[in-house]
């Protein structure tokens, strides 16, 4: 579970900005529905199940989402996808000389079980709070730290910092961090452009695996375009179609069934309009492989038979929901944190509202963080005041992130009306245009 995420000096973000998913004790509405608690070695506040982020175009909503994606990529992917001397693809705030040459900084506070995978079945199921962060520039990781709170008291597991004067790293390991002499091996194997966390896990550090697991398996970040339906296909291969079909029917789609089989690839199934070179390349790559054959079934008005439709015969909304269904069901079942940029770009506003309502239920420990322009959610009554955040640019053209709870908002206040009137900021500002000005 994500408790807090902070980012400094990244893309349109200059000074440190923090997104907080801890439920406020001040607001009592929807507390048991929109938030949840977990068993831990320390007394923790309740955690919000969803967070909506509003703001005009180019205000920095995507920068916030991109920063989360960058953190996950650097931890999970960069070690195996980059070379030893390759620059790190980090983007500091460029509109100020004081930030262009400054490190970017990220910190995440989250909860994960003591054990993951098979060991969790027999081990301690309580959650542990972790505080992990790093500083980075294009040349190297300049600082990295991890603090664990297994029993309320902080345990500093490791701290890594680059000493520019000596041109070398200094490592400090806490007494609670295991490994003995192996810690020197993990340290020596860590490249300048790689994280100690990622390196140590790759070298079979068991203690850090729950931390790495959280980033690799719990945190999922989506850009505005939904990914291909591969996740949904994988579910259909292993699970009955009823879960996908039930999800799509719940979204009020007139789908009566799904037919999904894998068939040997045939060039005859390729679109006729493909250029010859592309067609030949695809035939070479796909020859001998199996490809999914998906059909959506619709009952005829008399209910006597089911008529199969190709995905191309369905609406874009139906195709988007099908692609999204596997991700959504995974999120609920695996208690993931799903971050979506511009959720209303691919999904209808009423579908988004329905998804939030389904997420807000007893026993659910998944989380949804999304950016949106759909102001009708503010009037729907399904979000608490601490679940609504805004972004806007300050006079220095840098992104600022702030919650609705910063304002004196009364319960039952007309949030949508006041937001659109500019009461909370984070809306487009249009200068009046004088069409005769150039005459």
């Amino acid at each position: 579970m994500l408790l807090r995420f902070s980012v400094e000096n990244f893309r349109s973000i200059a000074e440190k900005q923090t997104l907080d998913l801890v439920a406020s004790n001040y607001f009592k509405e929807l507390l048991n529905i929109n938030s949840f608690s977990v068993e831990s070695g320390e007394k923790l506040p309740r955690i919000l199940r969803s967070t909506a982020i509003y703001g005009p175009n180019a205000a920095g909503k995507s920068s916030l989402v991109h920063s989360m994606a960058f953190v996950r990529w650097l931890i999970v992917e960069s070690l195996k996808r980059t070379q030893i001397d390759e620059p790190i693809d980090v983007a500091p705030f460029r509109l100020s000389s004081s930030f262009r040459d400054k490190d970017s900084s990220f910190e995440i506070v989250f909860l994960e079980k003591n054990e993951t995978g098979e060991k969790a079945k027999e081990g301690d199921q309580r959650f542990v709070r972790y505080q992990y962060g790093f500083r980075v520039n294009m040349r190297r990781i300049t600082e990295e730290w991890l603090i664990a709170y297994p029993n309320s008291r902080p345990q500093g597991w490791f701290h890594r910092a680059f000493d520019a004067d000596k041109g070398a790293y200094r490592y400090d390991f806490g007494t609670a961090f295991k490994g003995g002499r192996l810690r020197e091996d993990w340290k020596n194997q860590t490249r300048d452009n790689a994280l100690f966390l990622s390196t140590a896990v790759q070298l079979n550090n068991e203690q850090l695996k729950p931390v790495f697991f959280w980033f690799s398996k719990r945190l999922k970040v989506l850009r505005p375009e939904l990914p291909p339906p591969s996740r949904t296909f994988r579910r259909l291969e292993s699970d009955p179609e009823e879960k996908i079909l039930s999800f799509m029917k719940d979204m009020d789609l007139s789908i009566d069934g799904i037919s999904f089989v894998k068939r040997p690839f045939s060039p005859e199934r390729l679109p006729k309009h493909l250029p010859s070179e592309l067609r030949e390349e695809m035939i070479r790559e796909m020859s001998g492989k199996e490809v999914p054959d998906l059909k959506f079934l619709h009952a005829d008005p008399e209910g006597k038979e089911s008529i199969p439709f190709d995905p191309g015969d369905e609406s874009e909304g139906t195709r988007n929901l099908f692609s999204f269904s596997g991700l959504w069901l995974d999120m609920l079942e695996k208690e993931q944190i799903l971050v979506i940029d511009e959720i209303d770009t691919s999904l209808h506003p009423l579908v988004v509202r329905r998804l939030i309502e389904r997420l807000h239920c007893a026993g659910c420990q998944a989380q949804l963080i999304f950016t949106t322009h759909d102001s009708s959610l503010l009037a729907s009554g399904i979000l608490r005041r601490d679940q609504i955040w805004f972004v806007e640019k300050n006079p220095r053209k840098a992104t600022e992130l702030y919650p609705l709870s910063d304002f004196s908002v009364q319960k039952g206040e007309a949030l949508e009306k006041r937001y659109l009137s500019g009461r909370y900021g984070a809306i487009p500002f249009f200068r009046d245009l004088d069409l005769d000005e150039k005459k």
Side-chain angles (χ1 to χ4, degrees):
M1 296 83 184
L2 178 61
L3 300 180
R4 190 173 296 111
F5 177 82
S6 299
V7 53
E8 179 180 357
N9 193 29
F10 184 79
R11 293 167 65 98
S12 68
I13 298 170
E15 297 177 341
K16 182 178 179 179
Q17 304 296 316
T18 298
L19 179 67
D20 198 330
L21 278 82
V22 173
S24 171
N25 292 326
Y26 181 77
F27 304 120
K28 304 302 181 185
E29 72 269 21
L30 304 172
L31 182 63
N32 293 326
I33 299 176
N34 292 25
S35 68
F36 63 95
S37 60
V38 297
E39 184 180 350
S40 175
E42 58 177 330
K43 186 176 181 180
L44 292 171
R46 295 182 68 87
I47 306 165
L48 296 171
R49 288 190 167 105
S50 66
T51 297
I53 304 170
Y54 287 87
N57 292 328
K61 300 188 301 299
S62 294
S63 290
L64 179 65
V65 173
H66 195 97
S67 67
M68 294 183 178
F70 172 77
V71 168
R72 186 186 184 280
W73 177 84
L74 194 63
I75 294 171
V76 178
E77 303 290 343
S78 67
L79 190 62
K80 55 188 177 184
R81 294 183 180 273
T82 58
Q83 302 301 315
I84 189 170
D85 56 349
E86 193 170 338
I88 301 171
D89 188 20
V90 64
F93 182 72
R94 298 169 59 188
L95 297 181
S96 170
S97 58
S98 60
F99 283 93
R100 280 196 294 271
D101 298 323
K102 184 179 176 182
D103 294 342
S104 300
S105 178
F106 309 85
E107 186 174 72
I108 311 95
V109 181
F110 60 95
L111 299 173
E112 185 50 72
K113 294 178 182 178
N114 281 3
E115 300 284 0
T116 57
E118 292 298 322
K119 293 183 179 181
K121 296 178 181 178
E122 302 176 358
D124 189 346
Q125 292 294 298
R126 293 185 306 170
F127 283 84
V128 174
R129 177 163 58 107
Y130 295 98
Q131 181 178 344
Y132 174 73
F134 56 86
R135 292 182 176 275
V136 60
N137 56 46
M138 293 184 65
R139 297 178 298 280
R140 61 172 47 88
I141 309 296
T142 55
E143 190 176 6
E144 184 182 1
W145 60 93
L146 175 63
I147 304 170
Y149 299 79
N151 295 297
S152 297
R153 296 181 180 179
Q155 297 179 352
W157 284 8
F158 68 81
H159 180 247
R160 168 198 185 195
F162 182 74
D163 188 329
D165 294 331
K166 296 181 179 180
Y169 285 96
R170 174 182 173 179
Y171 283 81
D172 293 309
F173 297 112
T175 56
F177 186 57
K178 303 174 185 178
R181 287 178 294 181
L182 288 175
R183 296 184 301 191
E184 289 299 311
D185 293 335
W186 301 330
K187 180 179 72 173
N188 294 333
Q189 291 293 322
T190 302
R191 307 184 320 226
D192 287 4
N193 63 348
L195 294 165
F196 176 79
L197 168 65
S198 309
T199 305
V201 169
Q202 188 182 59
L203 297 174
N204 295 318
N205 179 300
E206 293 291 334
Q207 191 178 17
L208 293 177
K209 283 185 177 179
V211 179
F212 186 86
F213 178 91
W214 188 88
F215 288 100
S216 63
K217 301 299 183 182
R218 301 277 192 208
L219 181 63
K220 303 296 178 182
V221 185
L222 300 183
R223 303 297 172 80
E225 300 81 13
L226 289 178
S230 54
R231 179 62 256 177
T232 308
F233 287 157
R234 287 197 293 271
R235 287 191 66 98
L236 288 172
E237 289 177 9
S238 57
D239 296 338
E241 67 184 43
E242 281 76 11
K243 290 183 179 180
I244 300 294
L245 183 60
S246 176
F247 171 84
M248 299 187 72
K249 284 185 174 181
D250 190 47
M251 297 298 116
D252 198 29
L253 293 180
S254 58
I255 303 293
D256 296 294
I258 298 173
S259 172
F260 178 81
V261 294
K262 279 198 163 186
R263 303 185 188 280
F265 169 76
S266 172
E268 296 178 358
R269 296 180 61 85
L270 292 175
K272 303 299 183 182
H273 63 273
L274 280 179
S276 58
E277 292 184 1
L278 179 59
R279 184 182 183 85
E280 292 174 1
E281 180 181 351
M282 293 185 68
I283 291 175
R284 286 195 301 270
E285 291 181 357
M286 299 302 298
S287 180
K289 297 181 180 179
E290 290 187 329
V291 295
D293 185 10
L294 174 69
K295 304 287 185 183
F296 294 108
L297 306 179
H298 295 264
D300 67 11
E302 299 178 356
K304 294 182 178 180
E305 61 177 324
S306 295
I307 311 301
F309 281 70
D310 289 326
D313 297 328
E314 300 286 352
S315 69
E316 183 179 1
T318 297
R319 296 195 301 271
N320 286 342
L321 271 174
F322 177 79
S323 297
F324 185 69
S325 61
L327 297 166
W328 181 260
L329 293 172
D330 276 0
M331 180 193 77
L332 296 180
E333 294 174 5
K334 299 177 181 180
E335 298 177 351
Q336 294 175 340
I337 301 93
L338 185 59
V339 185
I340 306 179
D341 193 13
E342 297 183 19
I343 192 171
D344 40 0
T345 298
S346 301
L347 302 175
H348 191 279
L350 292 180
V351 169
V352 174
R353 178 173 174 174
R354 183 71 167 177
L355 291 173
I356 296 172
E357 290 174 339
R358 286 290 177 260
L359 179 66
H360 293 169
C361 64
C364 178
Q365 293 187 350
Q367 291 174 283
L368 175 66
I369 302 168
F370 62 96
T371 70
T372 182
H373 295 289
D374 178 21
S375 63
S376 67
L377 282 175
L378 299 174
S380 66
I382 63 174
L383 295 174
R384 285 163 48 93
R385 285 168 281 180
D386 53 358
Q387 291 177 275
I388 300 168
W389 288 70
F390 303 106
V391 294
E392 67 177 6
K393 291 285 186 69
N394 62 26
R396 299 183 300 279
K397 298 183 179 180
T399 295
E400 291 189 349
L401 172 70
Y402 55 95
L404 176 64
S405 56
D406 278 0
F407 299 85
S408 298
V409 179
Q410 301 302 313
K411 184 178 181 181
E413 184 171 309
L415 298 180
E416 181 182 22
K417 180 179 179 181
R418 295 209 168 191
Y419 168 61
L420 293 177
S421 68
R423 171 72 173 81
Y424 315 124
I427 60 172
F429 174 74
F430 301 106
R431 293 182 174 86
D432 291 334
L433 297 179
D434 184 354
L435 298 181
D436 295 327
E437 184 178 34
K438 295 182 179 180
K439 290 184 178 181

